[in-house]
Amino acid sequence: MALTKNQRRTRIKNRIRKIVSGTEARPRLTVFRSNKEIYAQIVDDVSGKTISAASSRDKDISSAKVNKSELATLVGKAVAEKALKAGIETIAFDRGGYLYHGRVKSLAEGAREAGLKF
């Protein structure tokens, strides 16, 4: 029997997480994308703590009247600014089982524009 979309994504996500891990020096930028919103977190997997987070539901971002791809770019810039304030410059990007395309790519490019290296 064929896999559902969510089962396929979960398999890909687990395959990625075997390789990508966040440390204190190089935390992991993880992405979650729903049909309406997009969320990003910078996580230190060693201590199990979220260092910074941003989403399209934040008041300053959600008030912008742009399409979802441009909203993802704003989320990427916001999470990068918060990370830079926390003293983080390099990260490991975790696309969360999604294709590096569309909104996920826009978020990554927004984070790069704001100064994160990955």
Side-chain angles (χ1 to χ4, degrees):
M1 195 162 99
L3 295 174
T4 64
K5 256 187 196 181
N6 284 333
Q7 289 172 331
R8 180 180 173 279
R9 184 178 143 308
T10 303
R11 278 192 183 179
I12 295 169
K13 182 178 177 181
N14 291 335
R15 195 179 326 134
I16 292 169
R17 288 288 288 121
K18 281 192 286 188
I19 300 166
V20 177
S21 179
T23 62
E24 189 176 341
R26 190 169 188 239
R28 175 173 57 99
L29 172 63
T30 183
V31 177
F32 176 74
R33 180 193 63 152
S34 69
N35 285 338
K36 289 186 177 182
E37 312 290 345
I38 191 159
Y39 306 85
Q41 289 184 335
I42 296 185
V43 180
D44 176 9
D45 289 319
V46 176
S47 63
K49 293 185 179 176
T50 298
I51 298 165
S52 66
S55 76
S56 56
R57 298 185 72 185
D58 294 346
K59 291 186 188 240
D60 54 338
I61 296 172
S62 65
S63 62
K65 299 296 179 195
V66 293
N67 63 27
K68 290 192 279 190
S69 292
E70 293 166 351
L71 208 60
T73 305
L74 295 176
V75 171
K77 288 179 182 179
V79 76
E81 289 169 4
K82 290 178 183 179
L84 291 173
K85 284 182 185 174
I88 296 164
E89 293 180 2
T90 60
I91 55 145
F93 187 68
D94 177 9
R95 58 189 173 90
Y98 303 109
L99 294 176
Y100 187 77
H101 183 269
R103 289 190 283 160
V104 175
K105 185 177 179 181
S106 296
L107 188 140
E109 288 173 352
R112 278 192 187 104
E113 285 175 18
L116 281 182
K117 296 182 184 93
F118 50 104

